Amino acid sequence: MPLQNRVTPEGDFVAHPSRSGLFMGNRGILHDETKQLGSARWRHKHWIICRLVFAGRHREMMAKGAYTELFFLDEAVALAAGHRPCGECRKEAFKAFRAAFAGPGKEPMSAKAMDDALHRIRIDKRTKAPSRAGLTAETLLDGAFIRMEDESWLILGKNRLRYRPSGYDKSEPRPSGLVPVLTPLPSLAALRNGYRPVLHESATRLSG
């Protein structure tokens, strides 16, 4: 039985047998001794995107007293869910992201400052639901996620690619006009400023 640790672009946690994810993440200890999740979806603000393998470290999945391992299809999914690159296992990506997060000519932000900025808009204080912006589809950069027809779609070139936990499985023309955007505004700014998330191979296959 797969564990409930696959994160969707909406930030939901689902159980899925696919092992096609490129990255893992961390929001703290969210599971109990039976490896089941409780109601909490984070324990701290430092939502990071990590490499699957780093420095030969080996972990028991959802071990007692250890953080809950979360998995993402690719980096665009992780950004949409509110995460940012880890400063330890993904140093170069972290440096590039923090520079793009701040913007041209500005001092790169610290990890804490980025986490604080992201956390302020992760959850709407009034509705207790994830904050979503409505933006014009034509202005979105590659790597942004939108929500249409009750499904999540990756923006890539002239197309939108439908997300599935095992990979992108359908390509449609990029929409026009106002659309609900899943990727948080600060991460959208990083995309505008040149940050390029790592995409799953199925995105390249569909767009090519």
Side-chain angles (χ1 to χ4, degrees):
M1 181 69 68
L3 298 171
Q4 188 186 354
N5 60 0
R6 178 58 65 97
V7 187
T8 70
E10 300 95 328
D12 296 330
F13 295 179
V14 298
H16 195 277
S18 174
R19 293 182 176 272
S20 60
L22 300 182
F23 295 99
M24 65 176 289
N26 174 11
R27 299 184 188 179
I29 302 173
L30 309 177
H31 62 279
D32 61 20
E33 64 277 3
T34 66
K35 302 189 177 183
Q36 300 298 308
L37 300 188
S39 59
R41 288 298 176 265
W42 71 85
R43 294 296 185 186
H44 53 64
K45 298 179 182 179
H46 318 304
W47 300 12
I48 55 177
I49 309 167
C50 297
R51 295 169 54 182
L52 296 179
V53 179
F54 178 63
R57 297 176 187 175
H58 298 279
R59 298 175 56 87
E60 175 191 349
M61 201 66 62
M62 292 192 183
K64 183 178 180 181
Y67 70 78
T68 302
E69 297 86 353
L70 305 174
F71 294 92
F72 312 96
L73 176 67
D74 62 17
E75 192 173 15
V77 171
L79 292 179
H83 290 244
R84 52 92 178 158
C86 174
E88 181 184 10
C89 66
R90 301 189 66 218
K91 286 184 179 180
E92 294 308 311
F94 174 76
K95 290 177 183 177
F97 186 79
R98 70 193 289 252
F101 197 95
K106 296 183 179 179
E107 187 70 21
M109 299 175 69
S110 67
K112 182 181 185 305
M114 290 192 294
D115 292 337
D116 288 344
L118 284 167
H119 205 70
R120 281 194 293 270
I121 65 170
R122 281 172 180 151
I123 300 296
D124 185 288
K125 291 182 179 179
R126 181 178 58 84
T127 64
K128 306 302 181 184
S131 299
R132 303 298 185 218
L135 299 173
T136 305
E138 292 88 341
T139 66
L140 296 175
L141 273 292
D142 289 356
F145 260 95
I146 63 174
R147 184 76 177 168
M148 293 183 66
E149 301 149 1
D150 291 326
E151 295 185 299
S152 300
W153 300 80
L154 172 73
I155 293 294
L156 189 60
K158 297 180 179 179
N159 302 316
R160 56 177 168 129
L161 309 183
R162 186 171 67 177
Y163 165 83
R164 290 290 184 266
S166 56
Y168 301 100
D169 71 341
K170 183 179 181 181
S171 177
E172 296 283 353
R174 181 194 285 244
S176 60
L178 203 65
V179 293
V181 179
L182 301 178
T183 309
L185 289 174
S187 296
L188 286 177
L191 297 182
R192 270 197 315 274
N193 293 329
Y195 188 76
R196 296 294 175 259
V198 178
L199 302 181
H200 190 259
E201 61 180 4
S202 58
T204 304
R205 186 167 63 247
L206 275 177
S207 64

